[in-house]
Amino acid sequence: ALPDAPPGLAPAAAALLLALADDTTPLWTDAGDEARAWLAFHSGAPAAAPEAAAFLLATGTPPPLEALALGSDEAPQDGATLLLPVAALEDDGPLLLRGPGIRGERRLGVAGLPEGFWAARAALAPLAPRGLDVFLCCGARLAALPRSTRVTEGR
């Protein structure tokens, strides 16, 4: 069962943050005061600036990806996790996903991402193993894109 989250907080994003965030994981969100207070109460996650956050929930335009915590070569796991609500997630679409954990390749359709998002994410690829993990959230659906997932646009 998904949590009854406040306005500005999609059920999938709320459930994911309740599962992953705790009092040791700084959280940044632009989802509003009610959503921030709800997340703090239920998870204990302290508020943080975008560049210091372990988890970020961007309901509007996300901060510049290159300015977020990307980990280090010695501790790539210290890279942030970005949650982005989107208008639609489809099991089939123009995006081709490849990488560890994906048998062969998968297709994904996404509507409602900020313009230039895929290019900004691709620009982080040379930093591997450092990087940013992304979850796309639409209602009760999630798509997980670890930093190692390569995304190609177009059919």
Side-chain angles (χ1 to χ4, degrees), residues 99 101-106:
I102 300 173
R103 180 174 287 152
E105 60 189 37
R106 295 289 303 220

Side-chain angles (χ1 to χ4, degrees), residues 7-30:
L9 198 52
L16 185 62
L17 285 170
L18 292 182
L20 299 178
D22 62 24
D23 62 351
T24 66
T25 52
L27 171 67
W28 174 86
T29 185
D30 62 356

